[in-house]
Amino acid sequence: MTDTTLAKKAAAVTSPELTDKVVLYFIEHGMQILTAIVLMGAGLFIARWVGSILQRWLKSKAYDEPVSNLIVKVVKLLIIVFIGVMALGQMGVQITPLIAGIGVAGVGVSLAMQGLLGNLVAGLTIIFSKPFTTGEYIELLGVYGQVTDISLFSTTLLHTDNSRVIVPNRKIVGEILHNYGNIRQLNLTASITYTTDITQALALVNAILQQNPMVLAEPMPVVGIAALHESSIALAIQPWVKVDDFVPAQAAIYQAVIEQFRNQQIEVPIPRRNIQILNPAP
């Protein structure tokens, strides 16, 4: 007798037995199965309802849309898993060993992914505590830049040269953070001679700043004498601009200062050195 014939006979014997067991199971646990189905339906409804409420709350708090969607999905998944375990219990499945197995697996996964989970927890801390938001300029751990993206695992900073720095979130939480906000203060200088009318020079610089559309009216620009050098007076020019205008505003202000100083005949000192020759050669 071939193996194929034996397999067919075994299937013929076991198939009715398996069918009888399945039918008997549904007869004995019909109400439990119905209850489990109702629980799963209710779980899906509750998950959608809670997700909708959470989505509106996150939107009112001005959280980033990708992060909000991810948080909502995680919460909905947790609700469905929780109710799914309850449904399995109603169907007669021993859920205690299942929960214990999930717990053991969770411990193993957490040990293997400590860095990743650390970034995740830190990302949630940043999202909810909001030490900074997208668009602000920050500096920490020797790196700096404009925040362009805050994800659950990392934060992306943009430099003025369009290069990006990706910082793991666990490196941010608990560190000293310098947040410049959405504006930055320029620290420019211009030199004039000691014979120049200082009042005229300062008034001219103030007029240049008022005419520049990138310079913010509030906070008011700081203009004054920064230092007295050997052969020149250094003027401090410190207006506030938006983070995006930091580089172009600096170039525009310097160009305007040079042009206006020339038009108004305000002398910009040129470094000079007097050289005295002692004991000249015969």
Side-chain angles (χ1 to χ4, degrees), residues 192 196-206 223 235 261 266:
I192 59 176
T196 301
D197 186 340
I198 297 176
T199 303
Q200 178 190 6
L202 294 177
L204 187 59
V205 171
N206 278 309
V223 178
L235 301 181
F261 277 15
I266 295 177

Side-chain angles (χ1 to χ4, degrees), residues 63 122-133 173:
Y63 288 105
L124 291 174
T125 302
I126 293 172
I127 291 170
F128 286 103
S129 62
K130 287 188 174 181
F132 54 85
T133 58
V173 175

Side-chain angles (χ1 to χ4, degrees), residues 107-125:
V107 172
V109 171
S110 62
L111 290 175
M113 304 174 63
Q114 287 183 358
L116 188 63
L117 292 176
N119 286 328
L120 176 61
V121 174
L124 291 174
T125 302

